[in-house]
Amino acid sequence: MSEEFAAAGAGVTGSGPLKGVTVLDITRVVAGPFCSMLLADLGATVIKVEHPDDPDYARTFPPFVSADDREFSAFFAQYNRNKLGITLNMKSAEGKALLRKLVRRADVLVENFRPGTMDRLGLGYEVLKKENPRLIYTAISGFGRTGPNASRPAFDNTGQAAGGLWSMNGYADRPPVRVGTIIGDLAASLYAAIGTLAALREAERGGEGQVVDVSQQDSVLTLTENAVVRYTTEGDVASPLGNDHPFVRPYGQFPCKDGYVFFGGYTDKFWRITCELFGAPEFADDPEIDTMEKRFDREVAERRVKPLLEGWFSKYSKAELEELAGDRIPLSAIKTIAEVVEDPHITARDMIVKVPVAGKLVRMFGLPIKLSGTPGNACAKAPGPGEHNTFVYSRLVGLTPEEVGKLAEDGVI
């Protein structure tokens, strides 16, 4: 699409490194919306497509912001900021035709339906690439588009379970625990964004689009650190370790006066500095714990190293320990979300931004990708269902306002 259209995006798009890239986002909830949100924050014109009678049900997810006796989801706003919003019934013949026309002017389409759904609608990649050979078709699903499990339904927890991460999390004497966030959805969206950018680069070079196929299970599997090679080389099946690392020690959670800190001073350099900082330099030369390899031994770590650290840390608060550690040893307070949101460093990094929700400014996480020359922007609001119907359909498809109104009356948009 032309940069002129991108720049006209009602204050939503038009700046950043992806200026001029147009994305049709027909996803819902998080695995997909997060991917397209990242593209939008980086300047792409992202058009969120929702069914006129069944919009993204993430609009019903808490927390809510109230205005004019209505509630608006801040959850939805966080993952759909910076987007234009249109409605479209892709099950109707007219709706299918409209999507094909939109695809002609788009660079990317992102979907997170179960594999085969778009084909059954007559809108699969093989159909859409005839409308636009340069189209990048990014598909996010639980198990991917190939393999014996491709057709299975999936949620975030499916990815955590099937990808092995769930079995590794928690404590050894208790049942496994899911990771405390939707890591399957988030990881898949991140890989989808990376794949989309790679495919865009290839389309620029060769003129051909392609499918970007991302699975939640695949994505979670790559987050299991050394579990795969431990199994394939040693037959060791990873199991819950609580806050411990499989082999690196000391490297974990330690209590202090007002909470907990993470300490990772396992190298000989950091261990020596730590002993000096806490007024006990002799332990850096203690023959039982003077090398990294000796401290890796679980029995030695539990009997000698852990009691030393707990004794030192117990005399200080989280803030005092961070101050003491400074830039010399890897020690960080284990912060609550409240503490993170109010963290001066997070503020300095522009990682808490104010986005309009129902006329009020709501603080939410910002864009973690910092570009020195063409920075992104994460501050524009999320659209209402069909908010930009007239704007988008007139610019991309050439419809008049009257034609747009007629399509709305007929339930097509």
Side-chain angles (χ1 to χ4, degrees), residues 44-320:
T45 298
V46 176
I47 301 168
K48 184 170 181 67
V49 183
E50 299 176 85
H51 192 287
D53 301 319
D54 183 25
D56 188 343
Y57 53 82
R59 291 183 180 275
T60 68
F61 289 3
F64 299 103
V65 176
S66 298
D68 301 324
D69 297 325
R70 295 180 60 195
E71 289 188 326
F72 297 83
S73 169
F75 181 102
F76 175 87
Q78 180 170 253
Y79 291 107
N80 291 281
R81 65 195 186 204
N82 283 343
K83 301 179 185 179
L84 303 172
I86 66 172
T87 47
L88 181 64
N89 181 357
M90 293 188 298
K91 293 182 178 180
S92 69
E94 291 170 289
K96 297 178 198 293
L98 273 177
L99 184 71
R100 290 195 293 270
K101 290 178 181 178
L102 290 170
V103 162
R104 294 171 194 167
R105 302 292 305 279
D107 301 290
V108 177
L109 180 142
V110 185
E111 58 105 329
N112 64 349
F113 296 114
R114 201 185 308 186
T117 300
M118 289 291 282
D119 291 316
R120 289 190 291 273
L121 288 171
L123 297 170
Y125 173 67
E126 295 301 322
V127 171
L128 297 182
K129 76 173 183 180
K130 294 177 182 177
E131 304 289 344
N132 181 358
R134 295 175 62 93
L135 180 71
I136 307 305
Y137 184 102
T138 299
I140 302 171
S141 60
F143 296 94
R145 292 165 62 87
T146 59
N149 296 334
S151 64
R152 290 186 177 183
F155 290 108
D156 164 75
N157 277 0
T158 309
Q160 292 200 36
L165 193 59
W166 200 329
S167 73
M168 299 168 54
N169 200 45
Y171 290 89
D173 59 345
R174 304 176 194 173
V177 178
R178 70 177 288 273
V179 174
T181 186
I182 48 174
I183 196 71
D185 286 347
L186 300 175
S189 284
L190 292 171
Y191 283 127
I194 295 169
T196 298
L197 295 175
L200 276 170
R201 180 70 181 91
E202 180 61 25
E204 290 172 355
R205 183 164 45 209
E208 291 292 324
Q210 59 186 297
V211 174
V212 178
D213 175 12
V214 176
S215 149
Q216 288 172 305
Q217 182 186 32
D218 296 349
S219 300
V220 168
L221 178 61
T222 68
L223 304 182
T224 58
E225 197 194 0
N226 68 341
V228 171
V229 291
R230 279 169 56 200
Y231 172 70
T232 58
T233 61
E234 300 175 352
D236 183 13
V237 178
S239 59
L241 293 172
N243 293 309
D244 292 337
H245 189 274
F247 57 88
V248 173
R249 300 177 188 89
Y251 190 90
Q253 173 180 282
F254 294 88
C256 62
K257 283 175 68 174
D258 63 345
Y260 298 89
V261 296
F262 159 73
F263 174 69
Y266 63 87
T267 67
D268 290 339
K269 171 187 173 181
F270 285 140
W271 178 245
R272 180 170 293 278
I273 294 172
T274 301
C275 294
E276 292 171 356
L277 283 175
F278 288 94
E282 65 275 13
F283 287 108
D285 298 313
D286 186 308
E288 192 174 23
I289 55 175
D290 60 345
T291 69
M292 187 167 63
E293 289 75 16
K294 292 175 183 178
R295 294 188 298 275
F296 281 5
D297 181 88
R298 184 181 297 276
E299 190 277 329
V300 171
E302 287 291 321
R303 178 170 52 84
R304 293 293 317 279
V305 178
K306 186 177 179 181
L308 277 176
L309 292 170
E310 290 181 344
W312 294 340
F313 295 168
S314 66
K315 300 173 184 177
Y316 300 89
S317 68
K318 292 188 294 185
E320 290 168 341

Side-chain angles (χ1 to χ4, degrees), residues 389-401 404:
N389 275 350
T390 300
F391 177 80
V392 171
Y393 285 121
S394 63
R395 294 294 183 109
L396 262 69
V397 184
L399 300 180
T400 66
V404 172

Side-chain angles (χ1 to χ4, degrees), residues 27-39:
T27 66
R28 51 173 56 195
V29 193
V30 175
F34 184 39
C35 166
S36 58
M37 182 217 80
L38 292 169
L39 302 178

Side-chain angles (χ1 to χ4, degrees), residues 295-370:
R295 294 188 298 275
F296 281 5
D297 181 88
R298 184 181 297 276
E299 190 277 329
V300 171
E302 287 291 321
R303 178 170 52 84
R304 293 293 317 279
V305 178
K306 186 177 179 181
L308 277 176
L309 292 170
E310 290 181 344
W312 294 340
F313 295 168
S314 66
K315 300 173 184 177
Y316 300 89
S317 68
K318 292 188 294 185
E320 290 168 341
L321 284 170
E322 284 195 318
E323 180 69 22
L324 180 64
D327 58 4
R328 300 193 65 191
I329 57 174
L331 183 150
S332 298
I334 296 178
K335 299 183 178 183
T336 66
I337 288 297
E339 291 172 319
V340 174
V341 170
E342 307 301 339
D343 186 336
H345 185 78
I346 287 289
T347 299
R349 295 281 296 168
D350 293 325
M351 277 309 299
I352 299 297
V353 297
K354 295 179 180 179
V355 176
V357 180
K360 302 174 183 177
L361 291 178
V362 174
R363 291 191 295 171
M364 57 185 65
F365 61 69
L367 179 66
I369 303 165
K370 311 298 183 185

